Amino acid sequence: MLGCFPLYPPLELFHSMGLEPLVLWGMKPFLADTARSDQHLQSFVCSVGRHLTEFVLSKEGALIDGFFMYNACDTLRNLPEILRSGLEERGHRSPILNMHIPMPSLGQTDARQYLSKEIDRLIDQLSDAFGVSFLQSRFESSVALYAQARELARQLETAVTMGRLRFGAFAGLIQGNAFRSVEGQIGAMSSLLSDEGQVVGDRVGNRSAIDIILSGILPPPAGVSDIIEDAGLNVVGNDIASLARSYGYTPGNETWRSPSDYYVDFYYHHHPCPTLLGSSDRRIDTLEALIRERGARGIIFLGEKFCEYEYFEFPYLMKRFKENGIASLLLEFAIDDDENLGPMRTRIEAFAEMLREGDKT
Amino acid sequence: MIHPLKPRSRENLSAIMSRYYEGNHAQAAEGKFVVWIAIIVPTELLKGFDLVVCAPESHSAMCAARKMGAVQCEKAEREGYSTDLCSYARIDLGTFFDEGRGSPTLGLPKPDLMISNNDNCSLLTKWFDVYHREWDVPHFMLDVPFCYRPQQDKDLRYVLAQFGDLIRVLEDMTGQTFDIDRVRQAVHTSNEALTHWMRFLGMAAHRPSGITAFDMFAHMAPYFTWMRGEPEMTAHYRLLAEESEAELAAGNYPVPNEKYRLLWDNIAPWHQLRNMSSRLAEMDANIVYSTYATSIGRIEDRLNFYEWDGSDPLRYLARIQNRGWCCYGMDLRYKAMSEMIERFSIDGLVFASNRSCKVYSVMQMDLKRRLTKDFGIASVMIDVDHADVRKYSEENAFLRLEALLEQIDGGRTS
């Protein structure tokens, strides 16, 4: 089992080489506290980093055979050595592999060759660390499986959009996929989709609901998803890192012949994300297109406290949407904010009310 | 109490920094091409062009040192920028939103191009992106791989290739032709300046120390501006080294009864330089060295000067992209700090946990544990924010610092 972070590791490659990738993102629902992590990380580290560390240092985390990380934010890039240190204190020695994903846009710097070599180097690292080997045919099969999983996730998103599935149930399933093999993910999502036409999780298609988009690094806690929908807001799309940004894009078969080609396409055409620095400019246009395409009236930004990448972008995005007549709301989630949802409910209901008043006028 | 020394150097520092900031505005007003850079971006490379170059981080540090940090931060916060964001960024954004008001230099001239790098501090790319969108100004990002071990050749070549892209962008935008000879001269000049800087740092080894970390913090300023690669900076560092050596020879020490020799880990608390140095000196404690000051002149785990050998200047600049303390991981930092502890006879470690600089701070808990265990040395962690005084409590910090001195005393008597 290979623990990976941040969000967009080369999963197909790991799977094809006989490893089970586990994306360590948004582990909070699976952990009671951050007692172990607090021995290593200050309180101004985001919940993602603290829970990731907590999980790795837990009894369950000890089952992970190795780790993979690529370059991310200022906090996460420090974690590999902290994790190694924490694991060694517990008597574990696990290989920690890494690679550097080029961050500039293609328009500025053509780093395709560098990225190709990083993928080749990663294959060598995996072989050395785990005694596994690469086979093109297995890679092609793995690509097909992950493409299927992403397609099923998109279909489930459509079910949410059409009111057949509650957003919270959808997000919970996708988050839970972190602990499923890709085959298990396909099974779980297919099963939910086989209830086509039925209401799942007591969601009722509400004709008077107001359509909105959610955007952030993580989906809201389950309780907040319920508040959003109970307030009469219909989530018709998302720009959430562990959801649409993760399942949004898979390279077409015609674009690649080798893993290097595949990941050059994958990372350069990835759904925009503030963590992929060169894609940030595309994020604005992508979000505006999503809003137009889905007919959304508003957008709720889900701020993960201390996530600098997201917080630098919120003010400009909110200003721009305001200029274009799109209402926005910023909710901030700190490490234990889902334990007291009262203020959150008030703000979401006020936002829904404001959108409704806008309808009347 | 602290003995304020090096008067000629302080006076010169003030004069050259004032000239620099005034010069920026004047030259920009004449129509020169203005570039904003992150402080680790190789200014020597930019000397291949005729430019005005400004470093917003340096400007923010100066605002904080002049007690203007919190006021400027609040202006950014009113525009929606979170108080959790780096205070350098908030000061700079606040200055921008208020069109330079509140800044001792009336802000910086508006850029024609911004150049960031992401290995020293990746959030800086986001900070520059704000202007990129607000002003529609191009933003060139040098993508420099973070190092868990000394820089690998593949990464050096990647950085060099980006230097080529940057040169092409500058040629296109300015209409100028890149002059490599000027770059070579700038690298040579910087190299000479750094020999004096390293002489100056070396005086921390004397007991009592000839210098304090607070001297280091103040005199880093010219390096993190366009003065890097200019004879003016070389002259300043020569003056600083000579004046410090003369004071040391004459037996003039900043903390004459120096009893505790401390090592500081993090960016300077710019709003506290005078308070902190004076109060520590009253307790016969001197922060004799800092990891932050070694962002200049050395790389990775090496404590000695990383000198230019006269070969390809661009290759040398690509290699020293790893000179900032934040460009590499814990193992390399551990090795460098281990050597600092031994070479400078350190009695105690001060880890300044800095809310505004996660890349510096996240790992300090493990570093502290490792160094304390391996060297049997006293250590403490205090909460600071490098530029936002609202996030600093002097009493809480000193409560811990006093406890550190007690720990050191305890270790001596046991």
Side-chain angles (χ1 to χ4, degrees):
Chain A
M1 198 185 301
L2 188 66
C4 308
F5 62 94
L7 271 159
Y8 316 122
L11 299 170
E12 303 87 340
L13 179 67
F14 299 144
H15 181 266
S16 75
M17 293 179 79
L19 301 164
E20 195 61 74
L22 170 62
V23 179
L24 302 170
W25 197 264
M27 309 302 282
K28 183 180 177 183
F30 314 109
L31 294 161
D33 57 37
T34 53
R36 298 176 190 89
S37 160
D38 293 345
Q39 303 296 310
H40 298 270
L41 301 174
Q42 291 98 324
S43 58
F44 52 73
V45 170
C46 66
S47 157
V48 169
R50 291 171 73 182
H51 284 105
L52 186 166
T53 303
E54 184 67 22
F55 179 78
V56 170
L57 301 182
S58 70
K59 204 167 58 183
E60 292 75 21
L63 300 173
I64 296 175
D65 301 296
F67 296 90
F68 166 81
M69 69 92 60
Y70 63 86
N71 44 312
C73 64
D74 290 341
T75 293
L76 293 188
R77 77 187 191 187
N78 282 343
L79 286 193
E81 288 169 307
I82 293 171
L83 296 179
R84 189 200 62 207
S85 171
L87 286 167
E88 283 177 359
E89 285 167 14
R90 288 160 177 77
H92 303 300
R93 280 185 180 274
S94 306
I96 301 181
L97 315 181
N98 64 52
M99 77 173 203
H100 183 83
I101 297 176
M103 287 290 153
S105 65
L106 260 185
Q108 180 202 293
T109 297
D110 186 349
R112 287 178 290 190
Q113 200 180 11
Y114 178 87
L115 177 55
S116 289
K117 287 184 177 167
E118 283 296 277
I119 293 294
D120 292 342
R121 195 174 64 88
L122 178 60
I123 292 172
D124 291 342
Q125 286 186 71
L126 291 164
S127 300
D128 292 346
F130 303 109
V132 294
S133 57
F134 175 78
L135 256 182
Q136 178 75 12
S137 58
R138 285 209 305 256
F139 181 67
E140 287 168 6
S141 302
S142 298
V143 166
L145 282 172
Y146 278 93
Q148 188 184 352
R150 291 187 185 112
E151 174 55 27
L152 288 169
R154 287 191 289 268
Q155 289 177 25
L156 282 170
E157 183 190 306
T158 303
V160 174
T161 303
M162 299 178 74
R164 292 201 300 270
L165 177 63
R166 280 183 82 90
F167 178 79
F170 162 68
L173 176 76
I174 303 287
Q175 288 291 105
N177 276 344
F179 291 101
R180 296 185 187 100
S181 64
V182 66
E183 295 85 352
Q185 293 173 25
I186 290 169
M189 290 189 286
S190 300
S191 164
L192 199 53
L193 279 165
S194 67
D195 295 331
E196 182 77 28
Q198 294 182 32
V199 172
V200 179
D202 78 358
R203 171 84 181 111
V204 180
N206 184 350
R207 286 178 185 281
S208 66
I210 295 169
D211 293 341
I212 59 150
I213 302 285
L214 296 181
S215 175
I217 211 86
L218 276 172
V224 175
S225 293
D226 289 342
I227 292 171
I228 288 170
E229 291 185 309
D230 292 347
L233 300 173
N234 191 31
V235 182
V236 294
N238 78 81
D239 165 52
I240 293 174
S242 55
L243 302 182
R245 291 185 209 161
S246 290
Y247 57 68
Y249 181 72
T250 299
N253 284 335
E254 68 288 354
T255 65
W256 59 275
R257 289 184 171 181
S258 66
S260 310
D261 296 343
Y262 178 85
Y263 287 111
V264 164
D265 185 338
F266 179 79
Y267 287 113
Y268 275 113
H269 297 97
H270 199 277
H271 189 101
C273 177
T275 65
L276 298 170
L277 302 175
S279 74
S280 275
D281 279 351
R282 284 196 287 122
R283 184 188 186 195
I284 299 166
D285 294 340
T286 303
L287 258 179
E288 285 184 338
L290 181 68
I291 289 166
R292 273 197 308 275
E293 176 199 313
R294 307 280 170 98
R297 298 277 320 285
I299 181 165
I300 298 181
F301 290 105
L302 310 159
E304 182 67 38
K305 192 168 175 67
F306 303 122
C307 178
E308 290 159 330
Y309 278 6
E310 289 271 4
Y311 272 89
F312 265 109
E313 296 200 349
F314 288 149
Y316 179 79
L317 287 171
M318 293 174 81
K319 185 173 91 170
R320 175 132 162 195
F321 288 138
K322 187 177 178 185
E323 285 166 2
N324 293 336
I326 305 290
S328 61
L329 171 69
L330 171 59
L331 300 176
E332 178 169 274
F333 297 94
I335 195 156
D336 52 5
D337 269 2
D338 51 350
E339 287 163 17
N340 179 15
L341 297 181
M344 209 68 86
R345 178 186 298 279
T346 306
R347 296 191 65 210
I348 292 166
E349 288 177 350
F351 183 63
E353 195 59 33
M354 183 192 78
L355 291 174
R356 255 182 232 107
E357 288 298 317
D359 272 353
K360 287 179 195 165
T361 58
Chain B
M1 62 174 288
I2 195 151
H3 290 228
L5 300 175
K6 305 165 195 50
R8 288 169 52 219
S9 302
R10 280 189 283 121
E11 196 178 317
N12 191 59
L13 177 69
S14 176
I16 62 175
M17 293 307 291
S18 296
R19 270 205 304 276
Y20 164 66
Y21 281 109
E22 285 162 13
N24 282 342
H25 283 294
Q27 292 178 63
E30 289 165 9
K32 258 195 180 181
F33 193 89
V34 179
V35 178
W36 282 12
I37 57 162
I39 53 173
I40 299 292
V41 167
T43 51
E44 292 91 340
L45 181 151
L46 304 181
K47 301 284 182 194
F49 297 92
D50 187 18
L51 307 167
V52 175
V53 174
C54 308
E57 290 155 276
S58 296
H59 170 258
S60 293
M62 186 196 56
C63 287
R66 300 218 187 157
K67 315 289 185 194
M68 299 305 297
V71 175
Q72 300 302 85
C73 281
E74 282 169 6
K75 294 173 183 173
E77 290 155 17
R78 282 200 289 275
E79 296 292 328
Y81 289 88
S82 166
T83 55
D84 293 326
L85 293 173
C86 163
S87 47
Y88 278 174
R90 281 181 286 129
I91 288 172
D92 190 53
L93 290 166
T95 303
F96 153 67
F97 287 118
D98 203 20
E99 298 176 341
R101 283 183 282 272
S103 153
T105 66
L106 302 174
L108 303 171
K110 188 180 166 187
D112 299 299
L113 172 70
M114 293 171 295
I115 309 168
S116 65
N117 63 298
N118 59 356
D119 60 332
N120 191 47
C121 162
S122 64
L123 76 79
L124 212 134
T125 62
K126 295 289 172 190
W127 165 4
F128 279 15
D129 267 349
V130 173
Y131 301 121
H132 164 58
R133 288 170 191 141
E134 292 280 357
W135 283 329
D136 196 21
V137 171
H139 173 194
F140 188 100
M141 175 180 61
L142 278 171
D143 180 36
V144 185
F146 184 75
C147 291
Y148 299 99
R149 52 190 163 138
Q151 187 187 53
Q152 297 174 68
D153 193 54
K154 69 178 178 69
D155 295 332
L156 184 145
R157 280 184 275 114
Y158 176 46
V159 175
L160 260 176
Q162 293 176 75
F163 285 174
D165 293 334
L166 176 59
I167 289 165
R168 278 189 289 279
V169 166
L170 278 162
E171 284 189 330
D172 287 348
M173 291 188 73
T174 62
Q176 300 173 26
T177 302
F178 177 65
D179 185 343
I180 186 72
D181 291 332
R182 287 171 60 183
V183 176
R184 192 173 286 107
Q185 180 57 45
V187 170
H188 173 77
T189 306
S190 276
N191 197 62
E192 191 188 345
L194 292 178
T195 58
H196 301 304
W197 174 256
M198 297 308 285
R199 273 169 66 200
F200 163 71
L201 291 189
M203 276 171 265
H206 192 272
R207 301 190 73 137
S209 172
I211 60 175
T212 76
F214 300 95
D215 296 324
M216 299 175 187
F217 297 150
H219 290 282
M220 288 169 81
Y223 185 82
F224 288 129
T225 66
W226 186 229
M227 270 183 263
R228 188 152 88 227
E230 295 288 328
E232 203 172 18
M233 184 179 84
T234 306
H236 180 72
Y237 285 152
R238 184 185 295 113
L239 170 65
L240 179 65
E242 287 172 358
E243 191 173 27
S244 302
E245 280 169 351
E247 286 175 349
L248 196 64
N252 293 330
Y253 311 114
V255 182
N257 302 316
E258 182 186 277
K259 190 176 163 192
Y260 309 98
R261 295 168 62 83
L262 309 177
L263 172 62
W264 175 272
D265 182 54
N266 219 303
I267 299 174
W270 295 112
H271 43 81
Q272 293 302 311
L273 297 186
R274 187 178 294 272
N275 280 356
M276 189 177 275
S277 58
S278 301
R279 224 174 134 172
L280 283 169
E282 282 166 13
M283 297 187 284
D284 298 329
N286 185 5
I287 298 179
V288 299
Y289 214 73
S290 82
T291 55
Y292 182 49
T294 65
S295 301
I296 302 178
R298 50 164 289 282
I299 53 168
E300 299 155 358
D301 55 342
R302 309 171 189 209
L303 205 51
N304 292 332
F305 180 29
Y306 188 77
E307 208 167 347
W308 180 47
D309 62 4
S311 58
D312 178 3
L314 295 183
R315 193 175 172 84
Y316 171 75
L317 292 173
R319 182 67 186 93
I320 65 167
Q321 276 302 116
N322 275 17
R323 66 193 178 285
W325 187 253
C326 298
C327 302
Y328 45 87
M330 180 158 58
D331 286 348
L332 294 170
R333 293 191 201 184
Y334 171 86
K335 283 183 193 164
M337 287 182 81
S338 299
E339 198 173 336
M340 288 174 202
I341 290 168
E342 290 180 336
R343 193 183 291 187
F344 299 103
S345 312
I346 299 296
D347 300 314
L349 309 173
V350 181
F351 287 92
S353 176
N354 182 351
R355 299 179 73 87
S356 271
C357 191
K358 293 182 177 60
V359 69
Y360 215 130
S361 306
V362 176
M363 86 164 63
Q364 282 180 315
M365 291 173 78
D366 281 84
L367 257 182
K368 178 176 182 292
R369 207 162 21 239
R370 281 174 72 178
L371 289 165
T372 304
K373 178 170 168 273
D374 294 352
F375 288 86
I377 194 168
S379 66
V380 73
M381 187 169 283
I382 61 173
D383 290 320
V384 301
D385 185 290
H386 55 235
D388 188 349
V389 70
R390 297 169 301 169
K391 294 188 179 178
Y392 172 75
S393 161
E394 183 176 344
E395 290 319 308
N396 285 347
F398 269 85
L399 201 62
R400 289 179 176 233
L401 288 168
E402 285 164 13
L404 172 70
L405 305 187
E406 284 170 15
Q407 269 187 64
I408 295 169
D409 283 337
R412 283 171 178 163
T413 54
S414 61

